[in-house]
Amino acid sequence: MRSDGGIRGFSAGFRQRSPLVLVAAALLAGVALLGLQCFITSGAWTVVPLEYWLSSSNDPFTYVTWHTTRLKREPPEKPLLAMVGGSSAREAIWNGESLAAEIRRLGGPDVRGQSLAGMNQTLGGSAAVIDNLPHTPTTVLLGVSLLRMYDMPETLMEQVGGEEYGLHGESLKEFAARRGRRSWLGMAILPGVARALATRLNRLSEDIATGKPLTRRYNEHPMDGNLPLTAAKREKIFGWANGSWASERLRRQIDSTLELMDLILRNADARGLRVVLLELPHNPAFIEAGYRETASCYQTRLKELARKHDAIFLDFNEQLPLQDADFIDFSHLRPSGRSIWQAGLARELTCLYRSGAISGERPAAPAP
């Protein structure tokens, strides 16, 4: 049992005004923060299973960060096939394992598939994920769409520096700093880490108090239960897709978006990662001349970037028998559409593997 004197002595430490004591406290705090950053960026935290870290069944930031750092810490023995993008990329395939199995059934190589897509993942978030993928033979499916091509620069910067995903990358940090997002002592990931830990601890305390399970399973397709769109919502989406608003916003933002895309491809090429710029699904019921003209604007620029960096641009949507009923809205697939789209993607990737355009070879065994 602690004495009152011990308590008073301990609390007195917080009332110190000595400069030396304050400097020592600041140094200790800095060491603790550096230790926390190392614990996260090294992937050491992934020794604890994912289900203990999730704050909810739909916690995409923790899900993506955990799997990315786990892959970096323990590179797979097979070639890696990773999908990155927002919620429409997440809903486009059942999961990475299912996509890899479909490629094998079609006569393609045995690869490790992993979805690293998640709700609200901007191109900046995808950049942070790609910059932390392992050096094993890796193909990255980088989802692109009209929505992802006209994000505001400040929105991209929220994730590119690691503030939300807790993923560290030197070139990305420098890119963010050039656009005014500087971090104290270079600890860009700590704000995101602090928010995530605070949220998890708060939820954990609630679970303990109410007797709920302390673990959660991640729901990869939380939108499957969404109701059909109302007539008013359909009209609004059609106007957005084919009207002038999206087209004008794209023209204002595309240069800054492509600057980040150029950095992504340059970094990937330097690290030996193969990137496929993958046009995500879009509902044919909402597409007319206006959308085709707008999409052509950014696709032409993306194809130029792909040629510059020896990447691949892939759009097979027009070849698929997708109908309005296969979509939740403009870009999110229902289970019926997901099966069709994943099968089409598997066919395209199998052809690319067979041609040697992307690598399906196992990593070389380490020298004895």
Side-chain angles (χ1 to χ4, degrees):
M1 181 181 296
R2 291 178 302 180
S3 68
D4 290 344
I7 295 173
R8 286 195 297 270
F10 180 77
S11 62
F14 292 98
R15 297 193 294 272
Q16 286 286 342
R17 293 294 182 267
S18 167
L20 290 177
V21 171
L22 295 176
V23 168
L27 289 174
L28 288 173
V31 170
L33 290 172
L34 286 170
L36 176 61
Q37 176 158 287
C38 182
F39 177 68
I40 298 298
T41 57
S42 69
W45 68 292
T46 61
V47 299
V48 179
L50 172 65
E51 55 263 30
Y52 287 95
W53 291 106
L54 293 171
S55 296
S56 70
S57 60
N58 185 19
D59 181 2
F61 294 108
T62 300
Y63 176 85
V64 170
T65 302
W66 190 92
H67 277 290
T68 302
T69 50
R70 184 63 176 265
L71 286 167
K72 185 177 182 180
R73 182 177 175 84
E74 299 178 11
E77 296 180 357
K78 304 174 183 179
L80 177 62
L81 176 65
M83 167 84 94
V84 298
S87 55
S88 57
R90 178 195 61 193
E91 302 297 330
I93 62 173
W94 286 102
N95 52 50
E97 295 88 345
S98 175
L99 176 60
E102 197 146 8
I103 290 170
R104 287 194 297 273
R105 285 195 296 270
L106 293 171
D110 184 16
V111 300
R112 161 73 182 277
Q114 178 65 59
S115 174
L116 299 172
M119 182 178 65
N120 297 326
Q121 184 181 123
T122 67
L123 188 61
S126 296
V129 171
I130 294 170
D131 220 40
N132 282 272
L133 290 176
H135 289 276
T136 190
T138 297
T139 298
V140 182
L141 306 177
L142 173 54
V144 296
S145 66
L146 175 56
L147 277 170
R148 279 170 66 78
M149 293 305 295
Y150 71 40
D151 258 333
M152 299 291 285
E154 55 268 26
T155 304
L156 298 179
M157 291 304 104
E158 288 176 0
Q159 295 181 8
V160 75
E163 291 184 23
E164 290 191 346
Y165 279 101
L167 297 170
H168 179 75
E170 281 300 324
S171 62
L172 296 179
K173 186 177 70 175
E174 293 169 4
F175 181 87
R178 291 199 300 270
R179 282 147 187 81
R181 294 190 73 88
R182 299 185 180 276
S183 53
W184 181 67
L185 294 180
M187 296 179 179
I189 73 165
L190 289 181
V193 170
R195 285 195 298 269
L197 286 176
T199 301
R200 183 65 188 108
L201 289 173
N202 182 59
R203 184 59 59 87
L204 185 64
S205 64
E206 292 176 0
D207 292 341
I208 293 173
T210 57
K212 293 181 179 178
L214 304 183
T215 62
R216 290 173 173 79
R217 291 180 60 85
Y218 183 69
N219 183 1
E220 295 190 74
H221 302 293
M223 300 182 70
D224 281 352
N226 283 26
L227 296 173
L229 297 172
T230 63
K233 185 66 174 177
R234 292 182 64 87
E235 182 178 353
K236 184 176 181 180
I237 291 174
F238 185 87
W240 164 80
N242 296 281
S244 61
W245 185 89
S247 177
E248 291 171 359
R249 177 162 171 169
L250 175 70
R251 287 182 170 83
R252 288 197 304 270
Q253 306 300 339
I254 191 169
D255 286 340
S256 60
T257 304
L258 289 174
E259 187 177 2
L260 176 56
M261 184 73 78
D262 184 77
L263 177 63
I264 293 172
L265 296 178
R266 189 165 65 249
N267 287 352
D269 188 44
R271 298 178 59 232
L273 309 181
R274 200 77 163 101
V275 178
V276 177
L277 302 180
L278 180 62
E279 183 70 36
L280 295 171
H282 40 257
N283 190 337
F286 292 104
I287 292 175
E288 288 192 352
Y291 173 81
R292 291 192 179 93
E293 181 179 349
T294 303
S296 177
C297 173
Y298 75 77
Q299 288 180 354
T300 298
R301 302 282 297 276
L302 286 177
K303 290 174 184 176
E304 293 172 356
L305 263 185
R307 286 192 293 269
K308 174 183 174 182
H309 294 286
D310 195 27
I312 297 167
F313 179 85
L314 180 60
D315 180 7
F316 56 91
N317 286 286
E318 300 301 320
Q319 304 168 25
L320 300 178
L322 288 169
Q323 301 177 6
D324 186 28
D326 295 317
F327 285 83
I328 296 170
D329 45 33
F330 180 78
S331 60
H332 296 95
L333 288 166
R334 295 193 182 279
S336 60
R338 187 176 304 131
S339 294
I340 293 171
W341 202 86
Q342 178 176 289
L345 175 59
R347 287 193 296 270
E348 296 290 336
L349 291 173
T350 300
C351 290
L352 290 173
Y353 278 122
R354 286 176 172 173
S355 70
I358 57 179
S359 176
E361 297 181 0
R362 290 178 179 271

